[in-house]
Amino acid sequence: MVERASKFVLVVAGSVCFMLILYQYAGPGLSLGAPGGRAPPDDLDLFPTPDPHYEKKYYFPVRELERSLRFDMKGDDVIVFLHIQKTGGTTFGRHLVQNVRLEVPCDCRPGQKKCTCYRPNRRETWLFSRFSTGWSCGLHADWTELTNCVPGVLDRRDSAALRTPR
């Protein structure tokens, strides 16, 4: 009888703990803890005055944010993919070479890590990424390294007759 009662107490205590944890996670989103059962207004400004120590470093004019660019695959344009770690860049880079519908899609062979991504009218690459050219500028190259490295690598890869100033 004592064993049965202790199991019952254990089940009740476990259920109460489970309900408390559930309330902690789901309660704030369901407005269960708000006074009167009402949620606070959505337009509540948590920081009404700006922080005097915050200095805005980057100003992006609306004109620059709304500009549109045309990529001419048949011309001399090259997409340079800058991989930023832990942001889904590997998945996005793989999609660039495998899943984008193009006139001439990238040739990805099973077992190879690199794909050949040539322009429709010549054997010249239009994509500079680790999945098309490999780690040509080093492992996890940043913006500065890519800026200095990409023109030289592309000039070496392209034939001498097709070289154009970049």
Side-chain angles (χ1 to χ4, degrees), residues 65-156:
L65 295 174
E66 292 179 346
R67 71 182 175 157
S68 63
L69 299 172
R70 283 189 43 111
F71 176 71
D72 185 15
M73 182 181 281
K74 293 180 181 178
D76 293 325
D77 295 344
V78 176
I79 293 177
V80 179
F81 178 64
L82 172 63
H83 179 257
I84 301 173
Q85 297 179 38
K86 303 296 179 195
T87 60
T90 300
T91 304
F92 181 73
R94 199 173 299 124
H95 282 297
L96 277 176
V97 296
Q98 293 178 351
N99 300 332
V100 177
R101 291 190 181 127
L102 301 169
E103 184 179 331
V104 178
C106 295
D107 182 25
C108 300
R109 300 182 188 231
Q112 289 186 340
K113 292 185 179 183
K114 293 192 307 185
C115 303
T116 53
C117 299
Y118 289 136
R119 297 180 189 279
N121 51 357
R122 59 187 184 265
R123 291 181 54 90
E124 187 178 298
T125 187
W126 60 269
L127 175 65
F128 191 93
S129 77
R130 81 176 208 201
F131 292 107
S132 63
T133 57
W135 297 103
S136 303
C137 294
L139 187 65
H140 298 296
D142 63 4
W143 172 262
T144 306
E145 291 170 327
L146 287 174
T147 303
N148 295 331
C149 171
V150 169
V153 171
L154 289 177
D155 286 342
R156 275 184 266 134

Side-chain angles (χ1 to χ4, degrees), residues 19-38:
M19 295 303 285
L20 286 173
I21 291 171
L22 183 66
Y23 176 74
Q24 289 293 322
Y25 281 104
L30 298 174
S31 303
L32 297 174
R38 293 187 310 251

Side-chain angles (χ1 to χ4, degrees), residues 40-47:
D42 290 334
D43 60 347
L44 180 66
D45 190 9
L46 298 177
F47 304 104

